[in-house]
Amino acid sequence: MKNKTLSYTLIVIIHSLIALVVFVAPFLSKLYAILIPLVGFYIVYNSKNKNNEVLWVAAYLVGAEVFIRMTGGNFNNEYIKFNIIFFMLLGMGYSNFSSSAYIYWFFLILLVPGILMTFREIDYNGDVKKSLFFNLSGPVCLAICSIYMFKRKIDFDNLQTILVAIGMPILTTTVYLFLYNPSVKDVVTGTQSNFETSGGFGPNQVSTVLGLGIFIFFTQFLLFSKTKKETILNAILLIFVSYRGIVTFSRGGIITGIVMIVCLLFLLYYFSNAKGRSKFALIFVLTGLMGAGIWTYTSIQTGGLIDKRYANKDAKGRIKKDNLGGREEIMDSEIKLFLDNPIMGVGAGMGKQFRKQTFGTDVASHNEITRMLSEHGIFGILGLILLFITPLVLYINNKQHLYILSFYVFWLFTINHASMRTAAPAFVYALTLLSVQVKIPKKPEN
């Protein structure tokens, strides 16, 4: 057990040092971005994917994406998604996939009419091509990940290893944010999303990945802390990630992380016996006290501005007219496009072009649901129905998957406020499809 604690602690230290090294020498971010798939390929090739090593590699890429992008290590916006798709296909080559996964092949086919509509556009140019890749890389990544993970058997401990693989580079991101902006007080002047506290990168994406990190380190703290040292370490990591996530002033990712925790606690309580449920009062109290402490400290550091942000007020305490930071107007335009083109939609990636004509500026969609409607029409509706229903149907015979509701919520909430800009919602959605088994330790025979 001591060795296990040491190794976990060592991994935490290494990933904290990665942030420091890249902060001092930013050009090393590109080396980091290259090394992940190279080392990952070596691991998968040597193991022949016997233990689903491609999931560990893909999970690490998911966790590292925002860090790589904010530090200039990305070779293009879809670099991580393309790498994840490659590793999922590599995993299929070694370990095949379920024949029942045809559902997600069908989802890919549903995207084709929207692509054909785009090719029919007379004004087809470089911007449209870029927009096509930008909007379709997420759904394609989701489909390929889902095909690989569909009903793939995995035990609960291995699932947690996958989460830790996501969580470690998220810790790197958090440490980098602290180095980039050690004093929150000096840069917070209003209630809008803050680029300074987000490492100079998009607060929405940073908040999203840190919200996922909050859930990951909460599960480590609650379920996988075997010693007092691990408990203290995971509590510190949870507090650190939560604080830096909140001060991005982007609400979507943090609210998502909180709802994920609530879903987990609900399932744990529901499936616990009477003895287990009696301990939940203490868990609820500790979780509530920790949350209240983090929020109080954050409120002090931001001079109360964070309270106004979550109350949808400006710095002077006035209620803002919009609740979603201007996204309502984009969503309304996409719904209008759908109503005008209900069968085929306007074409994959074309919504942005239509908004450019309407608003006079390039405005990308923040909502994957309304984007699918406007750009894919009725085929988009069918695709969304398939995505919504399949994990819930699988759960009927997959009750040991304790994280399924949390993963489902992360995907659903994230695509509503951050679309599929990063690979995280695609990969986490696919995790709902795993067939999870909780190993119960056998009692020793007398």
Side-chain angles (χ1 to χ4, degrees):
M1 184 59 70
K2 288 182 179 179
N3 290 335
K4 184 178 178 182
T5 304
L6 180 63
S7 64
Y8 180 71
T9 305
L10 185 61
I11 292 170
V12 168
I13 293 171
I14 289 170
H15 282 84
S16 299
L17 289 175
I18 290 172
L20 177 61
V21 170
V22 172
F23 180 76
V24 173
F27 69 92
L28 291 176
S29 180
K30 285 197 180 294
L31 179 62
Y32 182 55
I34 294 171
L35 282 176
I36 298 172
L38 287 179
V39 174
F41 180 79
Y42 177 78
I43 292 170
V44 175
Y45 178 77
N46 270 0
S47 65
K48 308 300 180 188
N49 199 43
K50 288 181 180 178
N51 296 305
N52 294 304
E53 283 82 2
V54 292
L55 291 180
W56 304 348
V57 180
Y60 194 89
L61 285 163
V62 167
E65 182 173 15
V66 169
F67 175 71
I68 290 171
R69 290 177 68 176
M70 75 163 53
T71 55
N74 225 24
F75 293 94
N76 59 65
N77 285 336
E78 318 311 324
Y79 175 73
I80 296 297
K81 291 174 190 169
F82 288 155
N83 269 288
I84 290 172
I85 291 171
F86 168 75
F87 278 103
M88 292 295 102
L89 293 173
L90 183 63
M92 291 179 207
Y94 281 118
S95 310
N96 212 332
F97 56 88
S98 171
S99 58
S100 302
Y102 67 85
I103 296 172
Y104 290 95
W105 289 115
F106 180 62
F107 173 76
L108 285 174
I109 293 171
L110 290 173
L111 299 176
V112 173
I115 297 172
L116 295 178
M117 284 293 293
T118 303
F119 277 108
R120 284 184 57 191
E121 287 298 319
I122 299 173
D123 222 2
Y124 189 69
N125 53 42
D127 288 337
V128 176
K129 290 178 186 177
K130 186 178 178 181
S131 186
L132 189 64
F133 277 105
F134 177 80
N135 287 290
L136 289 183
S137 60
V140 171
C141 183
L142 181 148
I144 300 300
C145 289
S146 298
I147 290 166
Y148 178 80
M149 293 190 227
F150 194 86
K151 291 187 176 180
R152 190 169 294 273
K153 292 183 179 179
I154 189 171
D155 64 57
F156 189 63
D157 285 349
N158 282 338
L159 178 58
Q160 188 65 22
T161 302
I162 293 168
L163 286 191
V164 172
I166 299 174
M168 285 302 119
I170 292 177
L171 172 62
T172 302
T173 306
T174 311
V175 174
Y176 181 85
L177 291 175
F178 177 78
L179 295 170
Y180 186 92
N181 168 235
S183 177
V184 172
K185 284 183 178 180
D186 294 340
V187 297
V188 174
T189 56
T191 60
Q192 69 278 6
S193 296
N194 196 300
F195 280 81
E196 284 295 318
T197 58
S198 303
F201 190 64
N204 203 11
Q205 283 93 323
V206 176
S207 168
T208 296
V209 77
L210 293 186
L212 180 57
I214 290 170
F215 173 76
I216 291 170
F217 290 111
F218 179 81
T219 61
Q220 280 292 103
F221 168 72
L222 182 66
L223 302 175
F224 290 89
S225 296
K226 305 299 182 183
T227 65
K228 286 184 179 179
K229 288 182 179 179
E230 279 193 7
T231 303
I232 294 170
L233 175 60
N234 285 318
I236 292 170
L237 296 178
L238 173 59
I239 292 167
F240 187 43
V241 173
S242 300
Y243 170 65
R244 291 307 310 200
I246 295 171
V247 296
T248 62
F249 276 72
S250 183
R251 296 166 292 185
I254 306 307
I255 293 171
T256 300
I258 293 169
V259 176
M260 290 175 76
I261 289 172
V262 170
C263 289
L264 172 62
L265 291 176
F266 168 76
L267 285 184
L268 287 174
Y269 182 83
Y270 182 79
F271 287 110
S272 293
N273 54 28
K275 186 178 179 181
R277 289 184 179 184
S278 64
K279 297 179 180 179
F280 263 85
L282 178 61
I283 293 172
F284 288 140
V285 170
L286 286 175
T287 303
L289 287 175
M290 188 179 291
I294 295 167
W295 186 266
T296 302
Y297 179 76
T298 307
S299 181
I300 293 170
Q301 289 296 305
T302 60
L305 289 174
I306 194 65
D307 303 271
K308 293 177 181 178
R309 171 62 172 171
Y310 279 77
N312 199 42
K313 297 178 180 178
D314 62 18
K316 294 182 179 179
R318 296 171 297 194
I319 298 291
K320 295 181 180 180
K321 292 181 180 180
D322 61 274
N323 293 314
L324 301 175
R327 294 185 180 93
E328 295 99 328
E329 193 174 356
I330 301 172
M331 291 166 63
D332 288 343
S333 72
E334 288 178 321
I335 292 171
K336 185 177 184 302
L337 283 175
F338 167 69
L339 294 175
D340 292 339
N341 307 270
I343 307 300
M344 299 293 289
V346 296
M350 292 303 298
K352 187 176 180 181
Q353 303 298 315
F354 278 89
R355 282 190 295 278
K356 187 175 181 179
Q357 296 172 10
T358 305
F359 301 127
T361 56
D362 288 334
V363 184
S365 176
H366 285 75
N367 190 301
E368 190 68 13
I369 295 174
T370 54
R371 188 200 68 78
M372 286 283 286
L373 293 177
S374 65
E375 297 184 3
H376 296 270
I378 194 169
F379 298 98
I381 293 176
L382 293 174
L384 288 170
I385 291 172
L386 187 152
L387 296 182
F388 286 139
I389 293 176
T390 306
L392 301 178
V393 172
L394 287 183
Y395 183 59
I396 295 172
N397 296 313
N398 193 19
K399 294 294 175 60
Q400 294 191 53
H401 195 336
L402 296 175
Y403 293 159
I404 189 167
L405 286 182
S406 300
F407 291 161
Y408 189 81
V409 160
F410 176 80
W411 166 74
L412 184 59
F413 280 31
T414 301
I415 65 171
N416 271 281
H417 74 83
S419 195
M420 297 187 77
R421 307 283 174 83
T422 63
F427 185 78
V428 173
Y429 171 88
L431 291 176
T432 66
L433 307 175
L434 291 169
S435 179
V436 180
Q437 296 174 321
V438 178
K439 288 185 178 180
I440 302 174
K442 294 181 180 179
K443 294 182 179 179
E445 294 181 7
N446 293 327

